[in-house]
Amino acid sequence: MNYPRVGVAAIIEKNGQVLLVKRKNAHGAGTWAVPGGHLEFGETPEECVIRETREEVGIAITNVRFSAITNDIFPEEGRHYITIWMHGMLQSGEPRIAAAREVAEVGWFSWNALPSPLFLPMQNLLDGNGYPEGVWFYERRKSGRIDSQAD
């Protein structure tokens, strides 16, 4: 039986830039996304993004809060994800490739100069295809008001 899975994504910003990873050995390989992964049984979205950022890029984040949800369908791969977008602040560490099997590259990018191609959930978020704060997030990004100190 096919059913949606739950992914959780960590939006981490520093000095007006967002932390991205280039995916490998998973669906969407070769695309750019924020750190994140599958929500594990019994785990909260906050716990998931804290764990995933530590596992993938070796950093600690804090002040994690909900931003949006996207509905992400990958028809060619027969996959369907509900992605929970969380926003967190860098607490400690310098991003590095900590999960070489999953991450090909890591870097900070300006919202106005993101690398391509973007992972489908990331593109959906940036296109404003989220619930309900996805539209809020998109409008803030368009107006240049997204940063780690916002609201």
Side-chain angles (χ1 to χ4, degrees):
M1 175 165 95
N2 289 338
Y3 57 91
R5 299 206 53 196
V6 178
V8 184
I11 301 167
I12 304 159
E13 295 177 286
K14 176 177 131 182
N15 300 325
Q17 296 186 315
V18 62
L19 180 64
L20 298 181
V21 299
K22 191 171 193 179
R23 298 171 57 86
K24 76 177 192 183
N25 294 323
H27 71 285
T31 62
W32 290 89
V34 298
H38 293 108
L39 184 67
E40 294 182 356
F41 184 81
E43 191 174 48
T44 67
E46 293 87 352
E47 291 166 339
C48 181
V49 296
I50 289 168
R51 174 182 55 78
E52 287 287 350
T53 55
R54 184 180 60 251
E55 290 174 0
E56 290 183 1
V57 293
I59 62 172
I61 62 172
T62 189
N63 297 332
V64 177
R65 65 186 186 279
F66 173 79
S67 289
I69 293 175
T70 54
N71 185 35
D72 307 305
I73 301 171
F74 301 81
E76 63 285 344
E77 299 172 16
R79 295 177 185 252
H80 181 183
Y81 279 83
I82 299 300
T83 305
I84 302 171
W85 292 85
M86 305 297 286
H87 189 275
M89 295 180 66
L90 179 64
Q91 181 179 26
S92 64
E94 275 300 315
R96 60 182 169 76
I97 298 173
R101 187 184 170 313
E102 300 174 23
V103 177
E105 295 178 49
V106 61
W108 294 101
F109 296 89
S110 165
W111 284 106
N112 297 322
L114 296 175
S116 64
L118 292 175
F119 190 43
L120 176 67
M122 182 90 181
Q123 191 64 59
N124 283 340
L125 180 73
L126 295 175
D127 288 346
N129 297 328
Y131 306 94
E133 280 82 1
V135 173
W136 169 86
F137 183 86
Y138 174 72
E139 290 301 322
R140 288 178 61 89
R141 185 181 72 80
K142 257 178 66 177
S143 69
R145 291 181 294 151
I146 292 181
D147 64 84
S148 60
Q149 305 303 316
D151 298 332

